[in-house]
């Protein structure tokens, strides 16, 4: 794409075609034509990226592997300082990053801010807490006083990260940050729809002091680049659909490497009779319609105790109808665009099928080409057929169903009636009861009186799914330990733990039995 043919949308940003071409030039691959990247704001092509193949992935992993050997030897405090500087740079350049994020995704700027701010938060957490997580840990030995044991950790080597298009800024690097702190190198494969924000972040990491080659970026089609990456790295972190996640896990298993998978969700929200309905309505709007509903943590099923059902609907519908839609590069609009035509078709078909099956549309339900080519109104459905796709499958758009339930037990049963288990929320004036209800919901994260932010932003706590929503966890110590290989070092002060010369086997067995009994009692006292 020539610089003279830059689409008019660039005039509303701090971006230029030259800037995007510079970012694409960071990828060490030469391919004729490449892959076109289009903005959902106008559906114009904004630039092209290299269409990498297996040989390109092989070269990127080898460069990363060579760089990792030196990076691992850098003291952990120095690695942490690099991440601190990176977080500072993200904050400093946030407006430029937001322009690029909006251009690639079409999300509203106010929703983009959540994504941008998550990166320095995660950087600071692992820079401050991470070094202590990497320290040697003393463990109990086989025989008290006579032996001891300690656990040391090593980086796994080269980590492959496959990032999605819906949160391409935070999910490109928040999985990479703990991997880098642990002394690993990273090869990042961003989604081909949203590659430039990942490339901009890679540039900032190098500016912060990350040595060349420690973070490599490869672009291209998922079916080509993904398998090639999994076959060459030592660990893979994937965020995306459940269907693709199964394929990733199968291939990782064949290669005997570890993997973490954050996959789809059909997240429930429970509103109890004593809840503050205005707060619950605001929470439902925030949860269901952030990023136009293209959020793996978004509630798509709301269950309300029937005594408050109508009141909740009034509050929820009223708040939803006050939302504004727009694609401006400013903080005004509440809701932006879907990513592309395929996602719009999915949303439209889910709603159309639901209506054909008897559902009522209380708000929204329309494509809005007057706002943007892929914009769709925030939509509230009731009377949804439990067997319809909108009730069972992840819509991944601004669509939510609301259903009355008889009591708390019925709400919990309905919430758990899904193969997914990523995120849920409970709304009640009695926070302790909310916690008790949360314990009974089969999800990796459950928020009380918040849709998802309280859980997601708790970076010291693990985040991930159960069932069809994935394996492993990001955030917290768990998000770092997945990138480590533990080693046990055991020391005996007595030499070989075997019968000494001249001691009959029967006597040695009695000694071992006595020591075992003593150890069991000691463990009980401790």
């Amino acid at each position: 794409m020539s610089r003279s043919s830059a689409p008019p949308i660039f005039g509303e940003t701090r971006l230029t075609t030259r800037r995007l071409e510079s970012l694409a030039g960071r990828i060490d691959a030469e391919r004729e034509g490449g892959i076109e990247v289009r903005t959902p704001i106008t559906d114009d092509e904004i630039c092209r990226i290299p269409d990498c193949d297996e040989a390109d992935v092989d070269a990127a992993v080898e460069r990363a592997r060579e760089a990792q050997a030196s990076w691992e030897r850098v003291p952990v405090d120095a690695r942490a300082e690099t991440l601190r500087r990176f977080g500072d740079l993200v904050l400093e350049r946030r407006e430029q990053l937001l322009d690029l994020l909006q251009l690639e995704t079409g999300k509203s700027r106010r929703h983009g801010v959540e994504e941008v701010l998550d990166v320095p938060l995660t950087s600071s957490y692992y820079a401050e807490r991470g070094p202590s997580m990497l320290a040697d840990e003393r463990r109990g030995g086989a025989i008290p006083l006579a032996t001891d044991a300690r656990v040391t950790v090593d980086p796994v080597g080269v980590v492959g990260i496959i990032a999605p298009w819906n949160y391409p800024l935070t999910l490109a690097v928040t999985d990479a940050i703990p991997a880098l702190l642990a002394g690993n190198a990273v090869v990042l494969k961003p989604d081909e729809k949203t590659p430039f924000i990942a490339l901009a972040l890679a540039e900032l990491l190098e500016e912060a002091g990350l040595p060349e080659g420690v973070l490599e970026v490869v672009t291209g089609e998922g079916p080509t680049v993904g398998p090639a990456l999994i076959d060459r790295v030592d660990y893979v972190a994937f965020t995306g659909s459940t269907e693709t996640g199964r394929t990733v896990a199968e291939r990782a298993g064949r290669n005997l490497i570890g993997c973490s998978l954050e996959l789809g969700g059909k997240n429930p929200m429970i509103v109890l009779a004593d809840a503050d309905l205005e707060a619950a309505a605001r929470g439902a709007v925030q949860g269901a319609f952030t990023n136009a509903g293209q959020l793996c943590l978004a509630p798509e099923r709301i269950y309300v105790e029937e005594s408050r059902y109508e009141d909740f609907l009034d509050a929820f519908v009223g708040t939803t109808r006050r939302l504004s839609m727009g694609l401006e590069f400013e903080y005004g609009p509440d809701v932006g665009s879907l990513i592309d035509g395929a996602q719009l078709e999915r949303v439209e078909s889910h709603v159309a099928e639901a209506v054909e099956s008897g559902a009522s549309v209380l708000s929204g339900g329309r494509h809005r080409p007057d706002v943007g080519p892929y914009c769709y109104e925030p939509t509230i459905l009731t009377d949804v057929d439990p067997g319809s796709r909108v009730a069972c499958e992840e819509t991944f758009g601004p669509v939510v169903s609301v259903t009355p339930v008889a009591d708390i037990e019925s709400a919990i049963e309905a919430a758990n009636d899904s193969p997914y288990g990523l995120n849920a929320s409970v709304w009640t004036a009695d926070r302790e009861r909310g916690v008790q209800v949360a314990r009974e919901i089969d999800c990796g994260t459950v928020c009380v009186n918040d849709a998802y932010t309280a859980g997601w932003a708790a970076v010291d706590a693990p985040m991930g799914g159960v069932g069809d929503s994935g394996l492993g966890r990001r955030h917290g110590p768990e998000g770092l330990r997945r990138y480590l290989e533990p080693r046990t070092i055991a020391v005996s002060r007595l030499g070989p733990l075997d019968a000494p010369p001249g001691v009959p086997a029967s006597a040695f067995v009695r000694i071992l039995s006595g020591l075992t009994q003593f150890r069991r009692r000691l463990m009980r006292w401790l």
Side-chain angles (χ1 to χ4, degrees):
M1 177 177 174
S2 67
R3 295 188 181 104
S4 62
S5 62
I9 192 68
F10 276 82
E12 301 179 28
T13 74
R14 301 165 181 80
L15 301 170
T16 63
T17 302
R18 184 188 297 272
R19 169 62 172 152
L20 297 191
E21 290 175 340
S22 173
L23 289 172
R26 294 178 57 85
I27 301 169
D28 191 3
E30 293 293 336
R31 293 288 172 268
E32 290 297 326
I35 299 173
E36 65 175 16
V37 180
R38 308 183 74 85
T39 174
I41 296 176
T42 60
D43 196 29
D44 287 316
E45 180 185 320
I46 55 174
C47 199
R48 288 180 175 263
I49 54 169
D51 187 8
C52 294
D53 63 11
E54 187 171 344
D56 297 317
V57 176
D58 188 57
V61 173
E62 284 307 307
R63 289 193 298 271
R65 199 171 294 285
E66 183 178 351
Q68 188 272 330
S70 299
W71 176 244
E72 178 183 358
R73 293 193 292 270
V74 173
V76 64
D77 288 342
R79 299 199 298 260
E81 186 56 36
T82 297
L83 296 179
R84 286 191 194 93
R85 287 195 295 268
F86 172 62
D88 291 342
L89 287 171
V90 170
L91 279 175
E92 179 184 317
R93 314 280 172 81
R94 62 185 180 275
E95 293 302 319
Q96 296 95 320
L97 290 172
L98 282 167
D99 281 358
L100 185 51
L101 181 63
Q102 284 192 271
L103 185 69
E104 285 196 305
T105 66
K107 67 175 61 185
S108 75
R109 200 171 189 85
R110 62 194 305 167
H111 295 157
V113 168
E114 296 179 10
E115 190 171 353
V116 171
L117 297 183
D118 182 59
V119 174
L121 182 66
T122 303
S123 298
S124 295
Y125 170 76
Y126 283 111
E128 298 299 328
R129 302 281 189 89
S132 64
M133 299 175 196
L134 299 173
D136 289 1
E137 182 182 353
R138 296 189 68 85
R139 300 284 183 92
I143 301 175
L145 303 179
T147 66
D148 63 37
R150 72 190 65 197
V151 177
T152 67
V153 292
D154 294 319
V156 296
V158 178
V159 173
I161 296 177
I162 303 175
W165 51 260
N166 62 321
Y167 278 76
L169 190 154
T170 185
L171 295 180
V173 294
T174 53
D175 281 338
I177 286 166
L180 294 171
L181 180 73
N184 297 286
V186 170
V187 180
L188 168 64
K189 192 274 179 200
D191 192 279
E192 57 270 26
K193 298 183 186 70
T194 54
F196 292 107
I197 194 69
L199 290 164
L201 293 167
E203 187 177 73
L204 289 183
L205 274 165
E206 287 190 10
E207 186 176 339
L210 190 72
E212 183 178 353
V214 177
L215 177 72
E216 291 281 328
V217 180
V218 288
T219 56
E221 301 289 346
T224 299
V225 175
L229 186 61
I230 298 167
D231 287 346
R232 288 162 174 79
V233 297
D234 306 301
Y235 187 97
V236 61
F238 170 81
T239 304
S241 72
T242 298
E243 179 183 5
T244 305
R246 293 184 193 279
T247 303
V248 170
E250 181 181 359
R251 197 169 194 108
R254 288 203 303 269
N255 290 323
L256 293 179
I257 65 171
C259 67
S260 53
L261 312 168
E262 188 197 294
L263 309 177
K266 193 67 180 176
N267 305 306
M269 171 176 169
I270 294 176
V271 182
L272 301 184
D274 66 344
D276 179 334
L277 297 186
E278 292 297 328
R282 293 198 310 273
V285 165
Q286 180 202 22
F289 305 134
T290 287
N291 197 27
Q294 300 166 121
L295 169 63
C296 58
L297 304 176
E300 293 195 3
R301 303 177 288 144
I302 302 178
Y303 302 103
V304 186
E305 283 200 78
E306 55 190 3
S307 64
R308 306 299 303 281
Y309 176 69
E310 295 296 339
D311 291 338
F312 172 79
L313 277 179
D314 287 344
F316 185 27
V317 171
T319 304
T320 300
R321 287 177 177 172
R322 289 192 291 272
L323 294 175
S324 60
M325 299 185 69
L327 300 175
E328 296 83 1
F329 288 80
E330 58 187 37
Y331 293 99
D334 297 306
V335 181
S337 177
L338 296 170
I339 190 69
D340 59 16
Q343 199 61 26
L344 174 63
E345 181 181 356
R346 179 181 180 88
V347 171
E348 288 187 308
S349 66
H350 276 211
V351 173
E353 180 192 274
V355 171
E356 289 173 6
S357 301
S360 300
V361 178
L362 300 192
S363 183
R366 293 185 302 158
H367 175 208
R368 291 291 302 275
D370 57 308
V371 179
Y374 308 124
C375 289
Y376 194 87
E377 291 178 333
T379 300
I380 301 172
L381 303 176
T382 58
D383 305 314
V384 169
D385 183 341
S388 64
R389 285 192 299 161
V390 80
C392 304
E393 299 178 11
E394 185 176 37
T395 303
F396 220 59
V399 179
V400 63
S401 63
V402 186
T403 304
V405 290
D407 49 33
I408 296 176
E409 290 73 22
S410 301
I412 294 170
E413 182 180 1
N416 290 336
D417 186 19
S418 172
Y420 297 103
L422 186 59
N423 183 67
S425 64
V426 180
W427 298 77
T428 175
D430 185 340
R431 289 189 295 272
E432 287 303 314
R433 182 167 66 159
V435 170
Q436 291 303 314
V437 172
R439 294 180 188 276
E440 299 185 52
I441 298 177
D442 299 331
C443 286
T445 302
V446 184
C447 298
V448 177
N449 293 336
D450 184 82
Y452 68 87
T453 309
W456 172 261
V459 292
D460 193 32
M463 184 268 168
V466 299
D468 284 2
S469 289
L471 301 169
R473 297 292 184 266
R474 60 164 54 99
H475 292 171
E478 295 83 354
L480 176 63
R481 289 173 186 150
R482 58 181 165 158
Y483 300 131
L484 299 170
E485 291 286 2
R487 174 189 292 111
T488 296
I489 300 175
V491 178
S492 170
R493 296 180 178 87
L494 302 177
L497 297 183
D498 197 2
V503 176
S506 59
F508 186 64
V509 168
R510 287 195 298 271
I511 293 170
L512 284 181
S513 298
L515 286 172
T516 300
Q517 291 284 14
F518 173 73
R519 187 182 178 193
R520 293 178 67 202
R521 293 192 184 97
L522 183 64
M523 291 171 67
R524 191 180 309 150
W525 294 334
L526 296 177

